[in-house]
Amino acid sequence: MLFVVDFDGTISKRDTIDQLLEKFADPSWEALEKDWLDGKMTALECMSKQIDMVDSDLLSLENFFRSIQLDDTFLPFYDYVKQFAKLVIASDGLDHSIKVATRQAGWPEIPTYSNRLNYKERGIEITFPLRDPECKGGNGMCKCAVADYVSKKVGRPVVLIGDGKSDACLSLHADIVFAKSSLIKHCEKNNVKHHTFNTFDDVLKVVKTWKPEEQNIPGYVFN
């Protein structure tokens, strides 16, 4: 069993890139965001242009990453599911923000797939070492590719936990979906069965009703 968990707005209480841009970028970043949401550019194109707008010194940026607030109900959830499943963080955001925020919270190191942050003289840049040219969502980091790669090693079902557009494609292929925010609307529009949640307490309550050893997970057919 594999849990693929989004970071921004799912593990973190707010979208960290939006917070970063609000604090350190020209307000015109919001126009780029709208173009992306309207389908006028890919996520990769949007993020590249937005990240290039960040103007700040390294110390201020590091302090920002350390201030990212996380859902403190995630850790009890993680401690439970790691007993019988593999869990990875898959984010179309920034690897450094995830690393700093989780380390600041004292969390264990969790396998993470994300885009790469690099510092430059006055700000940051983003690169896409995990980019899949065939990603249907046009994302910098394809969550479908990550789920396929890891699940081949650990086995299915694949459980997606997410909140937004970067989770939309995988929601159509995952065996079980937990959705919040705009991902709920996407699931409803595409007739994707899903559980709604606000915090990982909600997810844990559902997962605790499963008995993987008895192969009774609702919505998944065991071979």
Side-chain angles (χ1 to χ4, degrees):
M1 176 182 287
L2 171 65
F3 286 82
V4 179
V5 187
D6 174 55
F7 183 78
D8 288 304
T10 301
I11 292 177
S12 66
K13 292 186 177 182
R14 286 192 60 199
D15 187 295
T16 57
I17 292 184
D18 284 357
Q19 286 183 284
L20 178 72
L21 295 170
E22 288 169 3
K23 190 172 181 66
F24 299 113
D26 185 276
S28 58
W29 71 266
E30 294 182 271
L32 294 171
E33 189 83 359
K34 185 176 187 305
D35 284 346
W36 167 57
L37 292 172
D38 291 344
K40 296 179 181 179
M41 66 171 64
T42 66
L44 188 150
E45 293 169 331
C46 180
M47 282 191 294
S48 295
K49 293 179 179 180
Q50 288 178 326
I51 292 298
D52 195 50
M53 299 169 71
V54 172
D55 182 15
S56 179
D57 61 88
L58 187 150
L59 179 60
S60 297
L61 288 165
E62 283 294 298
N63 285 335
F64 167 78
F65 293 133
R66 283 192 287 269
S67 73
I68 292 170
Q69 292 188 312
L70 306 179
D71 180 352
D72 57 12
T73 67
F74 173 81
L75 205 52
F77 161 77
Y78 172 73
D79 287 339
Y80 180 79
V81 302
K82 73 179 182 181
Q83 300 175 78
F84 57 86
K86 176 79 170 180
L87 185 147
V88 301
I89 296 173
S91 168
D92 203 25
L94 301 168
D95 59 352
H96 188 67
S97 64
I98 298 169
K99 183 177 181 179
V100 172
T102 54
R103 181 181 293 168
Q104 181 72 15
W107 290 7
E109 191 168 327
I110 299 169
T112 298
Y113 298 83
S114 190
N115 305 309
R116 183 170 296 157
L117 177 152
N118 301 297
Y119 278 108
K120 55 185 182 180
E121 187 173 352
R122 281 289 305 177
I124 54 178
E125 62 182 9
I126 186 172
T127 56
F128 307 95
L130 300 179
R131 182 191 175 199
D132 183 346
E134 297 182 4
C135 178
K136 294 180 181 179
N139 298 315
M141 197 285 302
C142 180
K143 296 185 183 183
C144 290
V146 168
D148 184 58
Y149 172 74
V150 182
S151 66
K152 283 179 179 177
K153 295 183 176 182
V154 304
R156 299 185 77 98
V158 172
V159 183
L160 169 67
I161 306 175
D163 80 313
K165 194 170 182 179
S166 69
D167 305 298
C169 186
L170 182 54
S171 72
L172 303 176
H173 305 287
D175 300 296
I176 301 164
V177 177
F178 289 87
K180 65 189 290 192
S181 301
S182 66
L183 187 60
I184 295 175
K185 293 180 181 179
H186 170 81
C187 289
E188 291 173 344
K189 181 179 179 180
N190 291 277
N191 297 314
V192 175
K193 292 182 179 179
H194 61 284
H195 303 276
T196 60
F197 76 101
N198 290 311
T199 72
F200 283 89
D201 270 346
D202 302 322
V203 180
L204 184 56
K205 287 176 184 177
V206 174
V207 174
K208 279 188 171 180
T209 67
W210 303 346
K211 291 183 171 55
E213 71 280 2
E214 296 179 10
Q215 300 187 348
N216 78 329
I217 301 172
Y220 181 70
V221 178
F222 288 86
N223 294 322

